[in-house]
Amino acid sequence: MSLDAGSNVSPDPQQAFLFADPAGHSLSPRMHRAAFAYAGLNGHYEARRVPAEGLAEAVAGLRRQGVLGANLSLPHKETVVALLDDLSPAARAIGAVNTVIHRQGRLLGDNTDAPGLLQALSDAGYSWRKGAEVAVLGAGGAARAAVYTAALGRQRVWILNRTRDRADELAAAWAGQGAEVEVRATDLHDLPWSRVSLIINASSAGLNAPEETPLPGFDFSLLPAGALVYDMVYKPDETRLMREARSAGVKAENGLGMLAHQARLAFCAWTGCDVPVEVYLQALNVGGAT
C-alpha cells in the first residue's frame, strides 16, 4: 500500500514501541512519528527502557488492542524469541528479532535489520563480488543479521568478537543450519585482511563513546582497494572506527541508512503502509534535509 502525504488521519489511535536498555539515545521515535504523520495515521511511537528482567512483561503488553508491535534493541534481540508465537523465516534463520508484529492477539517476530543492512550497503555503493570476504565485528543479535546479510551475498564471513567463545557459538549455529556459505570465528591477527572487502561493525563499540573502537591500532592499509567499513553505530555520526578508516583512504559509512531502511520495513509490517525511506532519512536530518 503506497500513500501520498496529506491523506486523512485515521480515527483510532495506534501504538508502537522500542524496548531497549538503554533507550534514551534512540532516534527511532523521531522516524516513526514522521512516518505516522506522512501516512495520515493516528499513531504514537515510544522508546521505553526495558531491563532484561522486565522484557517478558513488556512483550505481553503488546497483545493489547490498539498496539501494533515493537522494535527490539540491545540486549533483547535474542532473548525475545522465546516469548513470541511465531517467527518469520528470516528471524528463524538469524536467531534474532528486531521487530515484533501484533496480529489479533498473536505476536510474530521478524528481522528487518538484515534487509535494511542489505539496502544500506547498496546505497553506499557496495557490490557483492565473487570471492570477496566479509569481517563481522560482534556476536550478538545485530551480528547475526550481518552474517545473514553477507551470506545472502554469497560471501565468506569471518566473525571477530571480544569474547572468542561467543564468536565460536555464532559460527557453529550458522554451520548447524547446513548453510552453503562458509562462516568462521577467528582472531584479529589470523584473518586474511587483504581479501576482506567489507567490515561490518555489529558491536556496540563506539556507541555514544567517540574514542572507543572495536579495532584499536588496526592498519586499514591491509584492506584491498575499494573496501568499505560499515559501522552500524549511528551516534556519534563519525565514530573512531570510521575516522581511522577514512584517514587511511578507506570508505566508511555510519548506520543511519540501515536504521532508516529497517524502520521503513518495520512500519510497513505494522501498518501495511509503505512510507518512502526519504521520510525516515529526513527525520534523521540526512539525505538532503540537513
Side-chain angles (χ1 to χ4, degrees):
M1 173 179 171
S2 297
L3 292 168
D4 295 323
S7 59
N8 293 329
V9 175
S10 63
D12 299 324
Q14 299 173 304
Q15 290 181 293
F17 301 92
L18 169 71
F19 297 155
D21 187 15
H25 69 282
S26 178
L27 299 178
S28 292
R30 188 187 303 178
M31 291 190 297
H32 286 294
R33 290 168 188 171
F36 276 124
Y38 183 93
L41 297 176
N42 184 8
H44 180 71
Y45 186 98
E46 177 186 344
R48 287 187 176 178
R49 177 183 172 271
V50 176
E53 61 272 17
L55 182 61
E57 181 179 358
V59 170
L62 298 178
R63 300 180 189 273
R64 299 193 312 269
Q65 185 175 358
V67 176
L68 296 168
N71 291 132
L72 284 302
S73 191
L74 289 171
H76 304 313
K77 292 185 178 184
E78 296 168 77
T79 54
V80 75
V81 168
L83 303 173
L84 305 176
D85 299 308
D86 202 359
L87 300 176
S88 69
R92 185 172 289 108
I94 294 167
V97 166
N98 81 314
T99 301
V100 177
I101 305 154
H102 177 209
R103 291 177 178 164
Q104 298 180 333
R106 290 178 57 80
L107 300 179
L108 170 68
D110 196 5
N111 193 302
T112 66
D113 279 338
L117 174 60
L118 193 65
Q119 186 59 58
L121 290 172
S122 176
D123 292 348
Y126 184 76
S127 59
W128 303 99
R129 298 184 294 277
K130 185 176 180 179
E133 304 186 17
V134 178
V136 174
L137 313 180
R144 287 175 175 270
V147 170
Y148 179 81
T149 302
L152 289 178
R154 314 299 297 172
Q155 311 285 280
R156 174 182 288 177
V157 184
W158 302 92
I159 304 171
L160 296 172
N161 193 56
R162 285 181 300 179
T163 306
R164 174 62 187 265
D165 288 349
R166 288 268 287 165
D168 288 333
E169 289 171 6
L170 177 51
W174 191 261
Q177 296 185 40
E180 297 179 5
V181 175
E182 185 177 6
V183 177
R184 291 185 180 181
T186 189
D187 296 313
L188 180 69
H189 300 295
D190 294 331
L191 201 154
W193 291 106
S194 63
R195 300 200 301 268
V196 173
S197 64
L198 175 62
I199 297 176
I200 303 173
N201 178 31
S203 75
S204 60
L207 179 63
N208 293 318
E211 293 310 309
E212 185 180 17
T213 174
L215 292 177
F218 181 70
D219 182 3
F220 286 92
S221 68
L222 295 173
L223 301 177
L228 171 67
V229 173
Y230 193 88
D231 197 337
M232 287 187 181
V233 171
Y234 54 82
K235 192 174 183 179
D237 291 342
E238 184 178 66
T239 61
R240 177 180 166 186
L241 178 70
M242 294 170 59
R243 185 172 68 250
E244 292 181 349
R246 287 171 174 170
S247 68
V250 176
K251 186 176 181 180
E253 297 285 343
N254 66 24
L256 284 174
M258 176 183 172
L259 182 70
H261 281 291
Q262 65 80 26
R264 169 183 162 265
L265 293 168
F267 189 85
C268 188
W270 292 330
T271 66
C273 303
D274 190 1
V275 174
V277 72
E278 289 78 14
V279 172
Y280 302 88
L281 291 170
Q282 289 168 6
L284 298 170
N285 293 321
V286 296
T290 54

